[in-house]
Amino acid sequence: MVGACTAKRGIVMADLLIELYSEEIPAGMQGGAADQLHRKISEFLAAFGVAADTMESHVSPQRLALIATGLPQNLPNRQEQKKGPRVDAPEKAIEGFLRANGLGSTGGLSVQEDKRGAFFVLEIDEKGGALADDLAAFMPAMIEGFQWPKSMRWGSGSLRWVRPLRSILCVFDGQPVPFNVGGIESGSETYGHRFMAPDAITITDPHDYVGALDKAHVLVDAAVREAMIVESSTALATGVDCDLVEDAELISETAGLVEWPVPLLGQIDAEFMDVPEEVLISVMRTHQKYFALRDRSGKLAPYFITISNMEADDKGAAIIAGNERVLRARLSDGRFFWDQDRKETLLSRLPSLEKITFQAKLGTVADKAERIAALAAELAPALSADKKTAQKAAQLCKADLVSGMVYEFPEL
């Protein structure tokens, strides 16, 4: 197959492509999953004394993929000695060594001596076979044993995965590597964008993977998606004479929510612009994953940018209108609590802190505030600060915890 095989010192080399296609993987779990897949495949190869020339993993909301190049078609012969426990070691230690190596008795072990005594030794002399065969045997257990912070089962199967697994692509040396996991047969097919290009795509050359999915409106490289979000969002902000509020964490998160990022510009109703900007930004960022904008003077602008996962025929008009409607409801709540909170002073809220336990042995939040106030009074002279003012500020510093705003928006 053109492009998939190379020669290295007379050995024919091949490339590997693995893709696990599922329903949406939470953005916060994608990076760890990509690292885990990379590590597991590296360890599998290392067990045979093999390493890839290059190995790169990709992850997007619906797929976890890995491309490894420069692998031998056939594994090298393996000769190794595994040193076991002493011959007179406890029986459980000997049984553990036998179990770890798939042995039922010490009959297959040799005995060697050194200064510390006689030891059992396992002599391994294996003839290398086709890498594809070992890969087919390895993949089901690897997938079934994949670790997720949270996982689920679906249908009548027993397989656990972060979200329902729909398809497995595994191609080595231009050919599918056949195996079955949870009733899913591996093959050489994947799928494009679920809305814009949902048809199956056959891939036999790993080098075609990224480009083929790009044509199907899927950017598998998270860094590329992040760059597209920044570039397009900055252009939208510039179009309304504003600057994008920098937020690397939000950029990374939104890149994990879409496979084809399309930034869209929406407007914030003028009636909400007198609400503190911390509230506006928090509502947009935390609850809606919107980017905030500032005008050239540095003031929060009445706009937001949302990242869509598709190119709509109406250029996103319906999507923008829907997001503006949702944001309007969110900000109405924020403004209500802001207006209500301003009807009370921070001082009047202090008695409510006595109802909140800080820690069982340390008392209430009110007790904590008093301790902070005492410390502030002691430290103020050393910092040339007014003792009474510092003490009063410390007494009030926890009062917002019982406000309606913080109750509704705890991230504040």
Side-chain angles (χ1 to χ4, degrees):
M1 183 186 63
V2 177
C5 295
T6 57
K8 184 190 291 184
R9 296 180 182 176
I11 301 175
V12 178
M13 311 303 287
D15 300 329
L16 169 67
L17 169 62
I18 298 169
E19 184 203 66
L20 305 173
Y21 179 83
S22 71
E23 294 185 12
E24 278 79 357
I25 305 169
M29 300 184 189
Q30 292 174 16
D35 292 341
Q36 185 177 172
L37 179 60
H38 190 288
R39 185 183 71 253
K40 286 180 177 291
I41 297 301
S42 296
E43 291 173 350
F44 161 74
L45 296 172
F48 297 100
V50 172
D53 285 346
T54 65
M55 187 181 294
E56 59 181 20
S57 53
H58 296 290
V59 65
S60 73
Q62 286 197 264
R63 64 202 78 223
L64 179 60
L66 179 138
I67 300 173
T69 66
L71 295 172
Q73 291 178 325
N74 295 301
L75 295 169
N77 295 336
R78 183 184 175 203
Q79 292 182 324
E80 182 183 351
Q81 284 188 338
K82 280 190 177 181
K83 191 174 183 180
R86 288 166 55 105
V87 174
D88 59 354
E91 187 175 341
K92 287 188 177 181
I94 297 174
E95 289 177 353
F97 180 74
L98 294 174
R99 186 168 53 252
N101 290 281
L103 300 175
S105 70
T106 59
L109 302 176
S110 61
V111 177
Q112 293 183 5
E113 294 190 12
D114 62 16
K115 295 179 180 179
R116 293 182 294 173
F119 289 82
F120 284 117
V121 175
L122 173 62
E123 305 278 354
I124 299 175
D125 189 0
E126 296 177 352
K127 187 176 181 180
L131 176 55
D133 293 340
D134 285 280
L135 189 64
F138 168 77
M139 287 297 295
M142 188 274 287
I143 294 173
E144 290 170 353
F146 213 85
Q147 298 296 309
W148 296 98
K150 291 184 179 180
S151 59
M152 62 180 291
R153 288 186 297 172
W154 60 95
S156 58
S158 60
L159 176 65
R160 297 192 69 90
W161 195 250
V162 61
R163 294 291 185 271
L165 190 61
R166 296 307 187 198
S167 174
I168 300 171
L169 184 158
C170 188
V171 172
F172 179 69
D173 194 22
Q175 299 296 322
V177 178
F179 58 88
N180 181 295
V181 180
I184 302 171
E185 295 285 347
S186 62
S188 57
E189 287 189 343
T190 185
Y191 299 87
H193 192 283
R194 67 186 307 174
F195 301 122
M196 295 189 287
D199 295 337
I201 304 168
T202 299
I203 299 178
T204 55
D205 187 343
H207 297 281
D208 295 337
Y209 177 71
V210 174
L213 284 176
D214 193 351
K215 293 177 182 177
H217 299 283
V218 174
L219 296 175
V220 295
D221 191 325
V224 173
R225 296 197 301 275
E226 289 184 15
M228 179 178 284
I229 289 171
V230 173
E231 182 179 350
S232 300
S233 298
T234 300
L236 284 177
T238 301
V240 290
D241 201 28
C242 292
D243 295 314
L244 187 70
V245 174
E246 293 185 9
D247 193 333
E249 186 177 336
L250 185 57
I251 290 170
S252 178
E253 184 175 6
T254 52
L257 297 174
V258 297
E259 292 197 315
W260 192 257
V262 180
L264 299 171
L265 182 71
Q267 285 191 295
I268 304 172
D269 291 354
E271 62 184 287
F272 299 115
M273 295 309 295
D274 61 343
V275 176
E277 69 171 46
E278 291 87 353
V279 177
L280 297 176
I281 292 176
S282 177
V283 169
M284 290 191 290
R285 182 189 191 280
T286 305
H287 297 273
Q288 303 303 130
K289 313 306 176 188
Y290 298 161
F291 290 90
L293 280 66
R294 293 190 184 278
D295 60 27
R296 300 305 185 189
S297 68
K299 185 179 178 181
L300 194 69
Y303 300 101
F304 67 89
I305 290 176
T306 183
I307 309 299
S308 172
N309 190 33
M310 62 181 294
E311 296 175 357
D313 294 336
D314 63 355
K315 299 186 183 301
I319 297 174
I320 292 171
N323 279 277
E324 288 177 339
R325 185 168 58 252
V326 171
L327 182 61
R328 191 175 300 118
R330 283 282 188 182
L331 293 182
S332 293
D333 290 342
R335 186 177 61 182
F336 170 78
F337 287 109
W338 171 243
D339 290 341
Q340 291 298 112
D341 286 344
R342 285 186 294 169
K343 294 177 181 179
E344 294 185 47
T345 64
L346 288 176
L347 189 63
S348 70
R349 296 181 184 277
L350 293 182
S352 297
L353 295 179
E354 297 175 359
K355 302 175 183 179
I356 304 175
T357 300
F358 168 60
Q359 203 274 342
K361 296 182 179 180
L362 297 177
T364 65
V365 174
D367 295 329
K368 180 179 180 179
E370 287 301 322
R371 290 194 293 270
I372 295 174
L375 286 171
E378 290 292 328
L379 292 172
L383 300 173
S384 300
D386 181 77
K387 182 176 180 178
K388 290 185 178 180
T389 302
Q391 188 172 20
K392 183 178 181 181
Q395 287 175 328
L396 298 176
C397 72
K398 299 297 180 182
D400 66 311
L401 295 180
V402 291
S403 67
M405 183 67 76
V406 171
Y407 183 84
E408 182 70 14
F409 305 105
E411 65 275 6
L412 293 173

